Amino acid sequence: MVNVNYRDSRPIYVQIKESIIRQIMTGALSPDEKMQSVRELAVELAINPNTIQRAYRELENEGYIYVVPGKGTFVSPYGEAKADVEKLTNEFRQLAAKLIFNGESSEKLKAEIDSIYKEVSRDD
């Protein structure tokens, strides 16, 4: 289920996009699973379909979803997302450095990384 918080300062399309990515990463949405149409999701969330379309377009550009004309929108198979790995690695390093600066131990950080890996790993 896509969640939108109207008090959040982030644009609604960004919230929708991040909610769908979270569902994909946690396995709530499976590879090749058909997603709700733009209209269905717009009605469910009571927001403008153009907002949903923008989120879907960005998700498609990043490789999280794909469109089959006449059939619908589907979740891409794992590993096809075109994430900017270098950018994400830099963000991760910055966050890890902040945690270390605030007293977190390397053991706790490693345990957290292991936990996240097990949660999103597709090698089951």
Side-chain angles (χ1 to χ4, degrees):
M1 169 154 191
V2 175
N3 296 316
V4 175
N5 179 354
Y6 295 102
R7 293 183 178 185
D8 193 323
S9 63
R10 295 173 301 154
I12 292 173
Y13 81 92
V14 171
Q15 293 181 51
I16 293 167
K17 179 181 156 186
E18 290 176 356
S19 181
I20 292 171
I21 290 171
R22 192 174 316 107
Q23 290 179 50
I24 292 170
M25 296 297 175
T26 60
L29 289 172
S30 304
D32 298 315
E33 180 176 338
K34 186 173 187 200
M35 298 178 57
Q36 288 179 289
S37 72
V38 168
R39 285 192 179 139
E40 290 170 344
L41 190 53
V43 168
E44 180 182 309
L45 297 175
I47 59 176
N48 190 312
N50 292 331
T51 303
I52 307 295
Q53 185 61 45
R54 183 171 181 184
Y56 274 28
R57 186 174 41 251
E58 287 197 9
L59 288 165
E60 183 179 15
N61 289 340
E62 293 175 18
Y64 288 103
I65 63 175
Y66 64 95
V67 176
V68 177
K71 300 287 184 192
T73 303
F74 300 85
V75 176
S76 294
Y78 300 124
E80 291 194 6
K82 302 167 194 158
D84 183 346
V85 175
E86 186 174 335
K87 178 184 171 202
L88 292 173
T89 300
N90 286 334
E91 289 175 11
F92 172 77
R93 290 178 60 83
Q94 289 175 2
L95 290 172
K98 286 179 184 179
L99 287 166
I100 293 166
F101 182 78
N102 285 302
E104 286 298 330
S105 69
S106 63
E107 292 79 19
K108 175 134 185 191
L109 293 175
K110 289 174 188 174
E112 189 65 31
I113 290 169
D114 288 342
S115 173
I116 293 166
Y117 185 83
K118 288 177 185 172
E119 185 178 317
V120 299
S121 177
R122 303 301 177 210
D123 297 331
D124 307 285

